[in-house]
Amino acid sequence: MPVAASAIYFLNLRGDVLINRLYRDDVGGNMVDAFRMHIMQTKELGTCPVRQIGGCSFFYMRISNVYVVIVVSSNANVACAFKFVVEAVALFKSYFGGAFDEDAIRNNFVLIYELLDEIMDFGYPQNLSPEILKLYITQEGVRSPFSSKPTDKPVPNATLQVTGAVGWRREGLVYKKNEVFLDIVESVNLLMSSKGSVLRCDVTGKILMKCFLSGMPDLKLGLNDKIGLEKESQMKSRPAKSGKTIELDDVTFHQCVNLTRFNSEKTVSFVPPDGEFELMKYRITEGVNLPFRVLPTIKELGRTRMEVNVKVKSVFGVKMFALGVVIKIPVPKQTAKASFQVTSGRAKYNAAIDCLVWKIRKFPGQTEPTLSAEIELISTMAEKKSWTRPPIQMEFQVPMFTASGLRVRFLKVWEKSGYNTVEWVRYITKAGSYEIRC
């Protein structure tokens, strides 16, 4: 269930109540005394942000020199409560010129009470968007002398935004050049055996957008996901085009996406916010295209020597390349020195992390550079313990490549004035947890 907050308190570090608001009558006015006595005056303050005392739960967070405390008497959504606190503080900062501390609260009692009445109704969170609230709560807060000056912005249509259509975008935006930048950024998480078999693999991705568009445009994004292509073929009464399709898991969208249209047509339609934002997140667990395969061979030659051979093969296209490739090969703690032979890049022994660090600035596709190293170990009189080999770790970034195979089929921009737009699309694949057992 939602937060259903019974009360919210703002306390200073001594436990004095700066301001409070009771939303329900199911808690007494002395609940703050219980928080002060059982939490603030004990050593447990700061160890856990959620505490239960009697029949009530306390969710608290410290921001600057102020504690924000939410009291609930029912089984409430904790994540939603803390999200409310974070956005409420951001709202107060926008009115106070970037400051939120004890002095800012004392100087803005009337404004805070007015905002608390608007952002929560009977304990349930409401609209916390500064852009919308400033349309009808026009009172300016007492600003800190160190705060930035407010910028004059054109006032959008308050009725349209408050009643719900597009609260994330104001009207009247005008750009000389209308552009849309779209980035698909993916992180590959991999655990591979020393023989090259995949033990665990998934891809987490996000679509980032930066929009500089005039007016109130309507955008439509088409991807090569399986469900979307099948739905499109049904609507057009023709078989789906051949080509790779992918299945997206755990998809989450920005609030601007029209979910009703997505559920019916399986297309991502939205009126974008102005500037930069994250359109969607997703995860892929099947059909992952690995950018690299690593084949390590480590031989222990007695008590004082070790041979390391590592071959790294780039699986992506020959016209592509990876940037900033770093391979960290673990070695025993008693390593004295190491000598290397590499066919590409540079390698060195880093004693601080007990690894051979192999760096390749630019790694072309369809190539197989190798590293050969001889390790000298310090001989000790103590009985040698078996070395538990940590996995090899990789870092990389591959432009214009997606491990999931996700592709943008189209990006359409419609606006009633009919202006022309320029669309830019970029793909980037990075290493998440990319590990290979030795």
Side-chain angles (χ1 to χ4, degrees):
M1 64 177 297
V3 175
S6 299
I8 184 169
Y9 292 90
F10 296 83
L11 287 71
N12 62 16
L13 299 183
R14 297 186 300 274
D16 301 329
V17 178
L18 302 175
I19 194 170
N20 72 289
R21 179 72 169 83
L22 297 176
Y23 292 103
R24 293 166 174 253
D25 56 3
D26 54 356
V27 297
N30 60 346
M31 294 308 300
V32 68
D33 297 329
F35 177 81
R36 188 184 301 114
M37 181 181 303
H38 295 281
I39 300 178
M40 293 195 70
Q41 295 179 1
T42 65
K43 295 182 179 179
E44 297 183 3
L45 182 65
T47 57
C48 179
V50 180
R51 290 292 305 277
Q52 192 165 13
I53 302 173
C56 294
S57 299
F58 294 83
F59 310 147
Y60 65 93
M61 180 183 295
R62 178 178 172 178
I63 291 125
S64 185
N65 57 355
V66 176
Y67 282 102
V68 183
V69 184
I70 291 181
V71 184
V72 299
S73 60
S74 58
N75 185 17
N77 188 324
V78 179
C80 183
F82 286 119
K83 178 68 172 177
F84 171 81
V85 172
V86 171
E87 293 198 7
V89 170
L91 172 66
F92 295 147
K93 286 182 177 180
S94 70
Y95 273 94
F96 307 158
F100 181 80
D101 51 25
E102 183 176 351
D103 292 336
I105 293 176
R106 292 186 183 278
N107 293 333
N108 294 278
F109 276 132
V110 176
L111 177 58
I112 292 176
Y113 273 120
E114 190 174 358
L115 289 171
L116 289 176
D117 286 337
E118 292 293 339
I119 63 179
M120 185 167 278
D121 184 18
F122 196 58
Y124 295 102
Q126 305 297 312
N127 199 334
L128 288 103
S129 171
E131 291 78 11
I132 295 178
L133 289 169
K134 286 183 178 181
L135 299 178
Y136 55 95
I137 300 181
T138 57
Q139 176 183 346
E140 291 188 4
V142 178
R143 293 176 172 266
S144 165
F146 303 103
S147 64
S148 58
K149 294 182 179 179
T151 56
D152 294 328
K153 293 183 179 180
V155 179
N157 186 334
T159 305
L160 173 64
Q161 299 207 30
V162 173
T163 52
V166 216
W168 51 88
R169 183 182 180 89
R170 60 187 177 90
E171 291 184 321
L173 293 171
V174 178
Y175 288 98
K176 291 183 178 179
K177 187 176 182 181
N178 294 283
E179 294 180 295
V180 180
F181 299 86
L182 187 148
D183 288 344
I184 295 182
V185 182
E186 296 187 341
S187 296
V188 186
N189 303 303
L190 169 74
L191 180 60
M192 182 182 290
S193 71
S194 58
K195 296 182 180 179
S197 59
V198 177
L199 304 177
R200 186 185 69 246
C201 184
D202 68 87
V203 175
T204 57
K206 54 187 177 181
I207 298 182
L208 305 176
M209 295 195 70
K210 189 182 291 185
C211 295
F212 303 105
L213 299 172
S214 305
M216 299 292 285
D218 190 2
L219 275 66
K220 191 173 183 180
L221 174 66
L223 304 170
N224 63 329
D225 62 297
K226 183 177 180 180
I227 298 177
L229 287 173
E230 289 178 352
K231 187 68 177 180
E232 182 180 340
S233 63
Q234 292 174 6
M235 294 179 66
K236 294 183 178 180
S237 300
R238 64 187 184 190
K241 294 181 180 179
S242 60
K244 181 176 180 181
T245 60
I246 62 172
E247 294 189 19
L248 301 177
D249 301 322
D250 303 332
V251 180
T252 57
F253 292 108
H254 187 274
Q255 63 173 340
C256 68
V257 175
N258 188 329
L259 296 181
T260 303
R261 190 180 297 180
F262 178 78
N263 290 331
S264 61
E265 302 177 11
K266 300 303 177 185
T267 57
V268 183
S269 302
F270 56 99
V271 177
D274 186 45
E276 190 171 352
F277 66 100
E278 184 179 278
L279 178 65
M280 62 180 282
K281 291 181 180 179
Y282 60 89
R283 192 167 66 93
I284 300 290
T285 55
E286 297 180 358
V288 176
N289 303 316
L290 296 178
F292 293 99
R293 288 193 173 271
V294 181
L295 297 175
T297 305
I298 298 179
K299 296 180 181 179
E300 298 183 41
L301 307 175
R303 298 171 60 91
T304 60
R305 290 183 61 241
M306 178 183 292
E307 285 186 357
V308 176
N309 293 284
V310 178
K311 183 196 309 186
V312 181
K313 180 178 180 179
S314 53
V315 188
F316 45 87
V318 68
K319 295 183 179 180
M320 299 180 183
F321 55 86
L323 298 174
V325 178
V326 179
I327 303 104
K328 296 179 181 178
I329 307 158
V331 293
K333 289 183 177 293
Q334 63 268 29
T335 298
K337 66 177 183 177
S339 57
F340 303 93
Q341 285 186 348
V342 293
T343 59
S344 179
R346 294 183 299 174
K348 68 176 182 178
Y349 167 56
N350 189 331
I353 57 175
D354 297 319
C355 284
L356 308 179
V357 181
W358 182 16
K359 295 184 178 181
I360 302 175
R361 186 178 62 86
K362 189 173 182 179
F363 199 131
Q366 299 297 316
T367 56
E368 296 184 15
T370 58
L371 174 144
S372 300
E374 291 188 0
I375 311 296
E376 292 187 14
L377 307 176
I378 299 173
S379 179
T380 58
M381 298 298 294
E383 182 180 354
K384 183 181 178 182
K385 296 182 180 179
S386 60
W387 176 46
T388 57
R389 300 180 180 182
I392 295 173
Q393 297 180 333
M394 279 194 72
E395 301 172 9
F396 55 81
Q397 180 172 311
V398 187
M400 304 311 295
F401 173 83
T402 56
S404 67
L406 186 67
R407 285 288 182 270
V408 174
R409 295 189 295 118
F410 60 82
L411 177 59
K412 299 177 181 179
V413 181
W414 180 89
E415 213 276 335
K416 59 184 179 181
S417 62
Y419 55 71
N420 294 323
T421 60
V422 180
E423 296 90 17
W424 304 88
V425 178
R426 181 173 60 172
Y427 305 93
I428 302 174
T429 294
K430 301 179 180 180
S433 174
Y434 208 90
E435 298 180 342
I436 300 91
R437 289 180 177 175
C438 300

